[in-house]
Each structure stands twice: as structure tokens, then as C-alpha cells.
Amino acid sequence: CSFLGRLASALAPRVLVPVLFERTSQLLASAVWQQRAAALSAMVVSFEGCASALEQHLGELFALAAKHTKDAHPRVRWAAYNALCELATVFDPVFQAAYLRDTLALLVAGVQEPLERVQAPALSCAQQLAESVTEESDVALCAQALLPVLAPLLARASLDAAGDVLDCVAAVARRCGAAFEPFYALYVPPV
């Protein structure tokens, strides 16, 4: 993966993107979970180096990642949430403007995954979105979607996962300021 990331940065994106799309499309269609996970991982490490050429394919990339968040294998779901997080990071603010609502719906499902390994990239993506949105309506949308599902998760999370959940809650709370008040009771029990 690190080699592919360096290759994506070194080669002209117009050279790599057609090959990448052809190969990853074949691998994503495979019945073998390792091939689907490898294809998503290859996409993730290529985003930054090929951002200029991939921006026009943002809809396709989002659809591929979104589809695989429901994959039968947890490692493929993990890779799909990683892909969403990287899309939100590399293509900020274009990604958020176009796919915020759809991504939040996927993240709500992702943070409720029973496997903490799959939850982790979903939490990272939720935190990234919360930290990057600037419109007040988008901040409120993040708070309304994420805060109700993060509170019960925090109550049952392991010590390792609780830190990730708290980081995500803190990111949302920082962005929404006084709009956090309706959710205050979920996180700070009365004394």
C-alpha cells in the first residue's frame, strides 16, 4: 500500500487512474473478500496522489465505498469505512457538500457495528466530518445524526474504543457549541 501511495504521488494521475479503476473494479466484483479489501485499500492510498484526476469520479468512488460498508466480511467493511474517511479528508469540502447526508447515514450504521475494528474507521470518519463542516445547518445535521448513537456506544465500549468515541463526541460538541445543550443529559448524568 505504501508503494502504491508513493507511485500515485509520483506518476501523473491521468496515467494511474484508468489502470486503478480497471483493476479495482475487477477486484471489487470478486467473491474473495481479500480481493475486495485489497481493492478498497488500493483506492484509499491513491486518493491523495491522484486527487486532481479523481475529483471528477467522486460520485463513483463514494458509491463503491458506500456499497462495501454493507459487505459480509468485516475486513471489507473496515476498508470501506477507511475509504469514506479518506474521501472526506482528501476531497474536503467538495465531498461534504455533496455527500454529507448519505455519509452520516452510513456512519450511524458503522459506529453501531458490533466489531470495534469496524467501528474505529467509522468513528474517525465521523470525527473528520464534524471537524470539517462549516455551515451551521451541516453542524446541526452532524450533531442530530451522531450524538444520539454515540452516547449508548460510549456506555458499552471497551476502554480502547471509549477514547475514539469520546474524541468523536468532543469534535461534534466543539463544532456545535450551544447546540450541544439538548444532548447534554445523554453525556453528563445529573448529580
Side-chain angles (χ1 to χ4, degrees), residues 102-188:
D102 295 332
T103 303
L104 284 172
L106 294 169
L107 295 177
V108 165
V111 300
Q112 295 180 57
E113 272 271 348
L115 297 171
E116 287 182 358
R117 179 179 172 96
V118 178
Q119 284 176 2
L123 286 166
S124 292
C125 187
Q127 182 176 345
Q128 165 62 28
L129 281 176
E131 290 172 342
S132 66
V133 293
T134 55
E135 296 294 323
E136 194 172 315
S137 61
D138 292 343
V139 172
L141 190 64
C142 285
Q144 291 164 0
L146 295 170
L147 291 175
V149 296
L150 292 174
L153 179 60
L154 185 60
R156 68 177 187 274
S158 71
L159 193 55
D160 290 336
D164 292 340
V165 176
L166 281 174
D167 287 343
C168 189
V169 170
V172 175
R174 259 192 315 272
R175 296 296 293 148
C176 66
F180 183 76
E181 190 175 331
F183 305 101
Y184 189 81
L186 289 173
Y187 293 95
V188 183

Side-chain angles (χ1 to χ4, degrees), residues 7-92:
L7 188 65
S9 295
L11 286 177
R14 61 181 166 71
V15 172
L16 186 59
V17 168
V19 175
L20 182 69
F21 263 101
E22 179 186 336
R23 295 298 298 150
T24 56
S25 296
Q26 292 168 357
L27 293 172
L28 286 169
S30 172
V32 179
W33 73 264
Q34 291 95 334
Q35 291 181 2
R36 294 190 309 275
L40 287 165
S41 295
M43 286 171 40
V44 167
V45 299
S46 303
F47 288 160
E48 192 168 347
C50 296
S52 61
L54 287 174
E55 190 167 341
Q56 64 186 346
H57 300 287
L58 196 52
E60 295 170 67
L61 295 170
F62 174 75
L64 289 172
K67 174 184 175 186
H68 287 87
T69 61
K70 296 169 183 68
D71 196 275
H73 201 280
R75 290 189 185 183
V76 177
R77 292 193 307 271
W78 175 86
Y81 283 111
N82 261 348
L84 284 175
C85 189
E86 192 67 13
L87 284 169
T89 302
V90 172
F91 297 102
D92 175 31

